[in-house]
Amino acid sequence: MHYTTFLLPLLTATLSFTAAAQDTTVQVILSDSAAELGSQTRFIEDFRQTKKPTGSTGPFQTVALRLGEGVKNKALRCKILDSRNNPIVVTRGENVDTTFADGGEAKEWVLRDGRQKVKTIICDPAFVKAAAPVAESGEALDLDIRVTLSDGNLATQTAFRAARLERERQNPVGSSGPYNSVTLSVGKDVKNQGLRCQVLDLQGDVIEVARGENEDVTFADGGKGAWAFLEPVSSEVGSIVCDPGFAVA
């Protein structure tokens, strides 16, 4: 009886440890505490998965990734996309990113631009933490990325939030034109000063542009002003795409 009494707590502790070690739950939790709205969506750690939020698409204000004790890849990261399939920028403390991790912290990630509907959640072992620029003491980071379309009189500016980190597509703000020139302005603290964008017409075809002797299907800032539409010389614009993967033709 004495040995049985001694072994029971040990056996219980062993079983509890084993259960924790076998907990391979990967869960993305979206919430808006003010509206008492939430969604919990489960994933598998070993490969890329894309899912819609379980139960509701929001709008949500925070997101968290929770990994079970048995999940081997503790650095697993996920991201959420808005209704236009653009990555939603999230923050936690000083971290600003389009992907988020567990990190063993109870604190949630906050959607930087306020409450938003979430169309898609993606978890992928290939996702990595973004290399964020550091501001000098007392200064705000200039991370502004804007594309200005103009016809000489009418002009519209479209802001990009995630383009410094990954591909982002936006529709022109206000009007589709027609326009005959485009300008990309990249803030001085954006790490990728060579970021390039392109404009597409209403049919989704790329509009060729020119600046000086440079002719291309993508355009950069370079501090040299506007690019003129080349082919066609004037066109309505259906969408603008900025992508760190774009390169000079």
Side-chain angles (χ1 to χ4, degrees), residues 54-242:
T54 299
S56 172
T57 58
F60 299 110
Q61 193 169 30
T62 63
V63 63
L65 175 61
R66 296 291 179 249
L67 304 179
E69 291 292 333
V71 174
K72 295 178 181 179
N73 182 9
K74 300 299 184 184
L76 180 68
R77 302 183 75 87
C78 303
K79 68 180 175 182
I80 48 179
L81 308 183
D82 64 17
S83 57
R84 294 182 177 179
N85 291 321
N86 290 319
I88 295 174
V89 179
V90 294
T91 67
R92 185 167 70 180
E94 296 181 355
N95 298 313
V96 181
D97 212 319
T98 56
T99 65
F100 52 91
D102 181 338
E105 296 187 29
K107 192 174 181 181
E108 299 170 315
W109 292 78
V110 178
L111 277 60
R112 186 190 66 178
D113 299 312
R115 297 166 68 248
Q116 296 183 59
K117 282 186 171 291
V118 175
K119 180 180 179 182
T120 308
I121 309 168
I122 304 173
C123 292
D124 191 336
F127 287 158
V128 294
K129 181 179 180 180
V134 179
E136 294 182 12
S137 178
E139 290 187 5
L141 290 174
D142 179 8
L143 300 175
D144 192 51
I145 298 173
R146 291 183 182 274
V147 173
T148 302
L149 292 160
S150 176
D151 68 353
N153 296 305
L154 176 68
T156 179
Q157 288 192 345
T158 303
F160 285 76
R161 300 184 180 93
R164 65 188 177 92
L165 302 171
E166 57 185 84
R167 182 184 181 93
E168 183 177 0
R169 179 189 294 265
Q170 298 276 7
N171 296 330
V173 172
S175 171
S176 59
Y179 300 105
N180 57 27
S181 71
V182 62
T183 304
L184 173 61
S185 301
V186 178
K188 65 181 179 63
D189 292 312
V190 175
K191 185 176 181 180
N192 182 10
Q193 288 292 307
L195 178 69
R196 301 184 73 86
C197 304
Q198 65 181 190
V199 283
L200 310 179
D201 64 20
L202 298 182
Q203 286 71 48
D205 295 323
V206 177
I207 298 171
E208 294 183 36
V209 293
R211 185 168 68 183
E213 297 181 355
N214 298 317
E215 298 179 4
D216 211 321
V217 292
T218 64
F219 53 91
D221 180 347
K224 297 179 181 179
W227 293 72
F229 284 18
L230 182 64
E231 182 60 41
V233 294
S234 178
S235 174
E236 289 186 288
V237 174
S239 62
I240 310 163
V241 180
C242 293

Side-chain angles (χ1 to χ4, degrees), residues 26-46:
V26 175
Q27 191 166 237
V28 174
I29 303 170
L30 292 156
S31 64
D32 182 352
S33 56
E36 297 184 352
L37 183 66
S39 169
Q40 297 184 1
T41 308
R42 292 199 170 194
F43 291 81
I44 298 173
E45 69 166 310
D46 296 327

